[in-house]
Amino acid sequence: MSQMNRRRALQLLAALGTTGLAAGCGSGTDTADEAEPGNPIKIGLIVPGSGPNKVVGDEITNGFQLFLALNDGQLGGHPVTLVPAEEGDTAKTGQAAVDRLLKEGVLALTGVVSSVVMSGIRDAVEQARVPLIGSNASPTSLQSVVYIWRTSYVLNEPGAALGQYLRQTLDASSRIAIFGTQGQSSRDVIDGLRNGYEQGGRRLTEEPIFTPDYPNPGKGVYSGPITKALGRRPDAVFCHYSGAQAVQFIKQLYAQGYRGPIYAPGFLTEGTVLSQLDDGEKGEERALIQECGIETALNYSADLNNTANRVFASAYRKAHNASPTTFAMASYDAAQVLDKAIRLVGGNPTPQQVNLALGKIGQVDSPRGAWQFNQPRTPQQKWYLRKVQLDGRLLSNVVISELATLG
């Protein structure tokens, strides 16, 4: 939370526990509550309103709106109107969203789920000289930008963090079956895995298997590729799937007889995936997950024990009756860095002034732990190893160690 001291954060957390979200609304500092608000500003929110990415878009919307709710609907002391625009899933639809929001006179842009959209709108954002604080899409090809910042991660980083871990954990002779969707996102993740793993003479001997990017995969669609991979008797599986694809892949992997560990970027078990896999105390899938193990690498987990996360996670659960994901957290942080930058500018901020100020905000006190922007305008941050375990009576992602600091 922006410029929030420890005492104020604990007061807010206590208020949330008894009187709900509204009780926690405040500007982030004790003295700022008395200041007159500045001129109203508009922030453009680019998210998908339909299709398979809608669930991520909803999380991004929830995270940004939560920060506003906890800060009197203001960023940097200015009342905010959040203007949504449909992202779609192509460069053309992303361009249309940017064009409409620029006509609205937004001070900054945020959101963007799809890497295809992010790459497609790059030139338009740079030419408009309006800062975009992306809260999800971050392809490795997005380099040498001036007005595009990201509060998520570069897509090769979760693979790199896991690659280093697997190099230390698995025997050198281990065979790893690698799966992912067709497209640049999975290739970025797998390139990161290769870079992290292939050191000291190690090699990934299995060629990756890329499956179609099914929006809503049916039963059996992964059976053929899985059968092919299991014929080589792998010691472990690494995969890059999320949402409905993750649910079906894990179900079909177990149905084909695989009984080894699964490693993946944390998207595999984010959101509602675990609840869809959890078939109760006597269910086979729950038993297999506990017996065989699913470990993931991510920059966030809802159970991290720090003041900023206790405030954020408690408020999110109060508002949405669900635990926050990395998507919601990154969007919350996008609002937080905008709050800091706009506050540094003061007065009547312009997009160019805000963009300059983003490079001066320093360390961010985030629910993921402290981080800061690096030179490529992405976070330098910790990555955590999470294991799917029972938390009470439900399957949950539980942090078991820190993996690395990347960025």
Side-chain angles (χ1 to χ4, degrees), residues 354-367:
V354 172
N355 195 68
L356 286 172
L358 284 166
K360 303 175 182 178
I361 62 175
Q363 195 170 82
V364 179
D365 184 18
S366 166

Side-chain angles (χ1 to χ4, degrees), residues 8-94:
R8 171 64 174 150
L10 293 173
Q11 288 172 342
L12 174 55
L13 185 59
L16 284 168
T18 56
T19 60
L21 183 60
C25 295
S27 64
T29 63
D30 295 329
T31 56
D33 294 337
E34 303 170 3
E36 290 293 326
N39 294 330
I41 59 175
K42 295 180 181 179
I43 303 295
L45 176 66
I46 303 172
V47 288
S50 61
N53 285 335
K54 180 181 184 299
V55 62
V56 178
D58 290 345
E59 288 277 324
I60 287 173
T61 301
N62 292 345
F64 203 96
Q65 289 180 333
L66 181 61
F67 186 90
L68 293 178
L70 294 174
N71 287 274
D72 286 338
Q74 298 182 19
L75 292 177
H78 295 260
V80 171
T81 298
L82 193 60
V83 185
E86 172 58 47
E87 174 178 331
D89 55 10
T90 67
K92 185 176 180 179
T93 57

Side-chain angles (χ1 to χ4, degrees), residues 111-116 118 134-139 142 150 152-153 155:
V112 188
V113 174
S114 165
S115 291
V116 172
M118 178 63 86
S135 48
N136 188 62
S138 187
L142 195 69
R150 285 143 288 166
S152 52
Y153 36 75
L155 271 172

Side-chain angles (χ1 to χ4, degrees), residues 97 106 135 199 209:
V106 297
S135 48
Q199 299 179 31
I209 296 175

